[in-house]
């Protein structure tokens, strides 16, 4: 059931929830004792696979010559499309991506097949000897060219409200602009890996580093022509995911299982870092064009915006990513008369996929860029222009997709941060600095975030969990969510410990497993704790209620009079330890385990019109960032960051602050150093740490201050908390806007076109008049 109204026994607040408990695997991880997929002891007879990659971006595949590879020591054979017993197309929603390239290749790095050998290095060396006969075809690499050619993976989408043409035409001021924003490599520490073990009666046990074990299960079964119940997928933890293991882990698992089926032996497939770069999709690069009208205060009176998402060669998750970009074009601002046209472009590069924020950052940055341009056009402080456009409380409070913003705390958060960060004083100091500094220019920006929480596909907003209480009083939890370092398991253990009134150490988590909780949604959309934590809470609540009813019967009282707290259970007549109660209840044949199920209330969404209430609530925040640029070299540095972020009532403040820190730095990397470069042949030139630069410790400013907004979630969410995985990422837009502010100071005019990321080259281009 969805709601827990019938469970009446009470559990007083406990020290687990709200405390900064260490990550449940922290000790094991620092000791090197936490097991990842590649650490699992290999079963005798295990083989290793390596991918055969296309060396052209587009062409007709005429043949595969593996003779040189097959002659190498240790090589057992190759796996190609002809070896697939089930559907040769992956079981994606759009059904447009082949498991292995068959009659044509569509990007440089596309997997044509596998080489299977006794060792990892034998397989990798042999895969490089396979010769492909490909007749080259023209390749589309640039997203703006794809728009001109009408090359799309999905049809364009338009969302319109009011009369933007009239709002622009009648405005006292008008502006046009364009922008190109690059993608981003996930760069998880643990690369893509799967280990497929054949079991009896054509059943399979798949270890997969995945955010979505249920989808891996479905994909593997689909490729093998089996039922889902023939495939078990397990994941104890990932070494990072960031969205890159939501769908794309499924490819690796399918490939490994096909090899294991052909050779009737366990097969492990772990991509090396270069192959991981060349094979997997990234954050979607976007291109933008806009025309806007605005009044003397900077308030937007009309906006026409074009978003072009570079989706790569197949749809993957590009539809919902582009939809969320459309939903988040407004960010924190009311757009009364607006038209948004979204193109989902097909290009001959990797199929781009989910990445932290899932289109939200790409939607928000367009409007933040526009507001920065408006402020410079009017000669106003950009913060004042942003404030003039904020959503209201009783009016100007409905989004362009017809959802009312009911819990708006934007103005108090921005005002509080403006004061705490001393924004006005610092802006004056920066102006004085810039007036006397000819080479080093500084900039500052304060930008807000309003991010919707829920899967936009409503049916994904459900979760299940199991809670088992053993006769010694220890507790085990299993749920459908996955741990990728974000602390999901830790928070769920805290929630269950408090629900049962036991110490945190009494509760353990077990590996996510499709044979325990079926049909689970991906751990994505920042909803891991919201969904799985609530399901686990409901499961624990049912166990607690049974125990309360047992005590009530013994002590002749009502169940709600039984208190579970601090490892003890108290009734009107007696107090006993948790362990005593559990043992007594077991001997009296009381069920000591339960399942829990939760589905998010209130949400609804029409995918055809992109209207409704797709989100249960919004998470808010704001960041104030100060930067410096060298006008001679284009080099730049982040000097100071102040963040005020809304996590509701924090279940674990240390974990939440860690997510805010990590999200911000990752967002800073997207907008400053992490540049993906494809040449005109479709070859990714930045495919290793030597050429692709994520932020390092030296890029983190010494002044990096984070505070949590002190109000609970007004919606009935687990523990009064709010999601924290994705929203902080978009706080880093303040870095990019501060860099544009510094560039404007250097130029001495209002015209600043700076594409992202703001590499030294792009900064220098922005400085050129």
């Amino acid at each position: 059931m969805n709601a827990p109204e019938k469970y009446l026994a009470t559990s007083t607040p406990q020290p687990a929830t709200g405390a900064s408990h260490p990550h449940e695997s922290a000790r094991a991880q620092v000791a090197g004792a936490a097991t990842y997929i590649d650490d699992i002891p290999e079963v005798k007879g295990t083989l290793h696979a390596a991918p055969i990659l296309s060396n052209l971006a587009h062409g007709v595949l005429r043949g595969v010559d593996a003779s040189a590879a097959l002659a190498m020591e240790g090589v057992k054979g190759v796996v190609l499309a002809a070896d697939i017993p089930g559907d040769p197309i992956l079981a994606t929603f759009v059904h447009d991506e082949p498991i292995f390239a068959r009659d044509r290749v569509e990007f440089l790095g596309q997997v044509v097949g596998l080489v299977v050998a006794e060792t990892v290095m034998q397989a990798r060396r042999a895969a490089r000897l396979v010769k492909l006969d490909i007749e080259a075809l023209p390749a589309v690499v640039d997203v703006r060219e794809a728009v001109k050619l009408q090359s799309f993976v999905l049809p364009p989408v338009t969302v319109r409200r009011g009369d933007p043409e009239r709002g622009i035409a009648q405005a006292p001021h008008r502006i046009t602009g364009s922008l190109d924003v690059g993608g981003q490599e996930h760069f998880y520490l643990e690369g893509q890996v799967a280990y497929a073990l054949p079991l009896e009666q054509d059943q399979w046990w798949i270890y997969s580093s995945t955010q979505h074990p249920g989808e891996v299960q479905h994909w593997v079964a689909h490729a093998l022509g089996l039922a889902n119940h023939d495939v078990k997928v397990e994941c104890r933890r990932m070494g990072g995911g960031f969205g890159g293991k939501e769908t794309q882990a499924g490819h690796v698992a399918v490939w490994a299982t096909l090899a294991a089926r052909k050779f009737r032996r366990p097969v492990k497939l772990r991509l090396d870092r270069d192959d991981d770069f060349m094979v997997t999709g990234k954050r979607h690069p976007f291109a933008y064009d806009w025309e806007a009208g605005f009044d003397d205060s900077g308030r937007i009176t009309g906006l026409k915006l074009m978003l072009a998402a570079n989706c790569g060669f197949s749809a993957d998750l590009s539809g919902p990513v582009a939809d969320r970009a459309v939903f988040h074009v407004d960010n924190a601002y009311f757009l009364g008369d607006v038209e948004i046209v979204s193109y989902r472009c097909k290009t001959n590069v990797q199929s781009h996929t989910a990445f932290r924020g899932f289109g939200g950052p790409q939607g928000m940055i367009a409007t933040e860029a526009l507001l920065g341009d408006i402020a410079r056009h009017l000669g106003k402080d950009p913060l004042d222009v942003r404030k003039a456009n904020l959503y209201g409380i009783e009016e100007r409070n409905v989004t362009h997709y017809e959802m009312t913003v009911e819990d708006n705390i934007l103005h108090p958060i921005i005002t509080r941060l403006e004061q705490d960060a001393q924004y006005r004083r610092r802006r004056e100091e920066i102006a004085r600095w810039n007036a006397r500094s000819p080479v080093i220019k500084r900039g500052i920006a304060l930008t807000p975030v309003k991010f919707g929480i829920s899967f936009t596909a409503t049916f994904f907003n459900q979760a299940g969990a199991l809670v088992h209480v053993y006769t010694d009083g220890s507790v085990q939890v299993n749920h459908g969510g996955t741990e990728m370092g974000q602390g999901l398991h830790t928070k769920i253990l805290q929630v269950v410990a408090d629900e049962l009134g036991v110490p945190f150490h009494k509760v353990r988590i077990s590996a996510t497993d499709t044979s325990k909780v079926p049909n689970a949604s991906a751990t994505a959309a920042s909803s891991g704790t919201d969904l799985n934590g609530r399901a686990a809470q409901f499961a624990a609540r049912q166990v607690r209620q049974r125990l309360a009813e047992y005590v009530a019967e013994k002590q002749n009282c009502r169940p709600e009079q039984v208190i579970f707290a601090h490892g003890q259970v108290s009734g009107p007549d007696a107090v006993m330890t948790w362990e005593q109660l559990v043992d007594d209840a077991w001997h009296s044949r009381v069920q000591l385990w339960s399942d829990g199920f939760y589905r998010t209330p209130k949400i609804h969404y029409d995918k055809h019109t992109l209207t409704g209430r797709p989100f249960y609530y919004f998470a808010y925040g704001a960041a104030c960032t100060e930067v410096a640029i060298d006008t001679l070299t284009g080099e730049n540095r982040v000097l100071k960051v102040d963040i005020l972020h809304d996590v509701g009532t924090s279940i674990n403040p240390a974990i939440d602050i860690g997510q805010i820190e990590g999200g911000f730095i990752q967002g800073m990397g997207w907008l400053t150093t992490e540049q993906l470069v494809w040449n005109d042949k479709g070859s990714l030139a930045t495919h290793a740490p030597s050429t692709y630069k994520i932020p390092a410790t030296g890029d983190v400013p010494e002044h990096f201050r984070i505070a949590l907004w002190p109000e609970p979630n007004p919606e009935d969410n687990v523990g009064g908390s709010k999601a924290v995985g994705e929203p902080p990422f978009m706080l880093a837009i303040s870095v990019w806007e501060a860099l544009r502010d510094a560039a404007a100071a250097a130029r001495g005019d209002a015209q600043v076109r700076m594409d992202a990321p703001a590499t030294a080259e792009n900064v220098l281009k922005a400085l050129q008049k």
Side-chain angles (χ1 to χ4, degrees), residues 507-528:
V507 190
R508 282 273 181 132
I509 205 85
S510 61
T512 308
D513 184 336
T514 57
S515 68
K516 291 186 177 181
V517 175
N519 313 319
S521 299
T523 304
S526 300
S527 61

Side-chain angles (χ1 to χ4, degrees), residues 466-478 496-497 499-502 506-508 536-537 539-547 564 569 577-587 589-595:
L466 300 171
V467 170
H468 297 168
V469 177
Y470 295 99
T471 55
D472 64 352
S474 62
V475 182
Q476 185 187 77
V477 182
N478 187 271
V496 170
E499 198 64 37
L500 297 176
V502 301
K506 297 289 289 187
V507 190
R508 282 273 181 132
Q537 184 180 46
R541 191 167 294 178
Q542 293 187 67
V543 173
R544 191 190 75 205
Q545 182 64 22
R546 293 191 196 110
L547 291 172
F564 295 75
V569 182
T577 66
W578 164 259
E579 291 81 4
Q580 287 174 318
L581 172 60
V582 168
D583 186 66
D584 288 350
W586 179 70
H587 280 94
R589 297 182 295 174
V590 175
Q591 182 180 331
L592 295 176
W593 62 270
S594 186
D595 63 321

Side-chain angles (χ1 to χ4, degrees), residues 443-461:
I444 191 170
L446 195 160
T447 61
V449 164
K450 174 186 67 68
F451 189 78
I453 303 299
S454 290
F455 288 97
T456 52
T458 304
F459 61 88
F460 280 134
N461 294 286

Side-chain angles (χ1 to χ4, degrees), residues 178-499:
S178 60
L179 175 68
D180 292 320
V181 174
Q184 187 176 23
E185 166 63 31
H186 299 87
F187 219 109
Y188 23 63
L189 286 177
E190 176 202 34
Q192 298 280 2
V193 58
Y195 186 24
L197 290 86
L199 305 175
E200 63 173 78
Q201 301 179 65
D202 208 13
Q203 297 178 76
W204 294 87
W205 188 346
I206 314 297
Y207 291 102
S208 174
S209 181
T210 176
Q211 295 174 237
H212 199 175
E215 185 168 72
V216 172
Q217 176 192 38
H218 176 52
W219 283 20
V220 169
H222 188 79
L224 268 58
L226 301 173
N228 284 357
H229 68 199
D230 294 319
V231 179
K232 166 184 170 176
V233 178
E234 181 178 324
C235 178
R236 176 59 179 87
R237 62 176 60 83
M238 289 164 276
F242 309 117
K245 295 176 180 177
E246 184 172 346
T247 59
Q248 310 251 319
H251 302 69
V252 180
V254 168
W255 297 333
T257 309
L258 289 171
R261 179 189 179 277
K262 179 171 183 175
F263 296 100
R264 299 295 174 184
R265 290 168 64 175
V267 171
K268 181 188 289 185
L269 172 54
R270 175 171 57 82
L271 299 181
D272 71 15
R273 184 64 66 179
D274 284 276
D275 285 350
D276 205 315
F277 263 87
M278 298 302 293
V279 170
T280 63
K282 326 297 179 193
R283 180 184 297 281
H284 290 68
F286 267 60
Y288 312 82
D289 294 318
W290 62 76
E291 179 183 10
F294 52 97
D295 64 19
D296 292 339
S297 71
R299 179 174 284 184
I300 296 170
T301 58
L303 171 63
K304 298 189 71 172
L305 174 66
M306 184 280 294
L307 313 175
N310 185 338
C311 302
F313 86 101
S314 70
D316 194 86
L317 292 171
S318 294
V321 166
D323 286 351
R324 188 172 275 264
V326 170
F327 286 139
H328 285 81
V329 159
D330 62 335
N331 188 13
Y333 313 109
F334 178 76
L335 301 175
D337 294 278
V338 61
E339 180 185 77
I340 303 165
V341 180
S342 170
Y343 295 110
R344 295 96 196 272
C345 300
K346 178 171 182 172
T347 58
N348 295 113
V349 300
Q350 293 82 353
S351 186
H352 296 312
T353 190
F355 200 131
R356 195 177 202 164
F358 203 80
Q362 294 99 312
M364 290 182 187
I365 196 170
T367 304
E368 293 296 347
L370 170 60
L371 293 176
D373 289 348
I374 289 172
R376 283 182 283 275
H377 181 90
L378 294 173
K380 289 183 172 292
D381 188 321
L383 179 57
D384 292 333
V385 172
R386 290 187 165 91
K387 284 184 173 182
N389 283 280
L390 288 177
Y391 276 105
I393 304 300
E394 299 297 334
E395 57 182 9
R396 291 171 50 86
N397 63 345
V398 179
T399 69
H400 54 290
Y401 48 91
E402 299 181 9
M403 177 175 172
T404 301
V405 181
E406 299 173 343
D407 59 337
N408 185 353
I409 53 174
L410 285 162
H411 194 272
I413 282 182
I414 292 170
T415 300
R416 165 84 175 274
L417 182 63
E418 178 186 353
Q419 295 168 353
D420 290 352
Q422 298 182 312
Y423 171 83
R424 302 291 178 178
R425 179 185 62 77
R426 287 166 60 188
R427 177 163 280 282
E428 292 174 358
E429 290 176 352
I430 288 169
R432 290 194 292 270
W433 166 281
N434 287 337
R436 66 176 183 267
S437 175
V439 175
I440 305 299
K441 299 293 184 181
R442 292 185 176 181
I444 191 170
L446 195 160
T447 61
V449 164
K450 174 186 67 68
F451 189 78
I453 303 299
S454 290
F455 288 97
T456 52
T458 304
F459 61 88
F460 280 134
N461 294 286
Q462 58 176 299
L466 300 171
V467 170
H468 297 168
V469 177
Y470 295 99
T471 55
D472 64 352
S474 62
V475 182
Q476 185 187 77
V477 182
N478 187 271
H479 62 91
T482 53
E483 176 66 46
M484 61 199 89
Q486 83 278 36
L488 171 62
H489 286 346
T490 308
K491 286 186 174 182
I492 288 179
L493 293 181
Q494 290 177 265
V495 169
V496 170
D498 281 4
E499 198 64 37

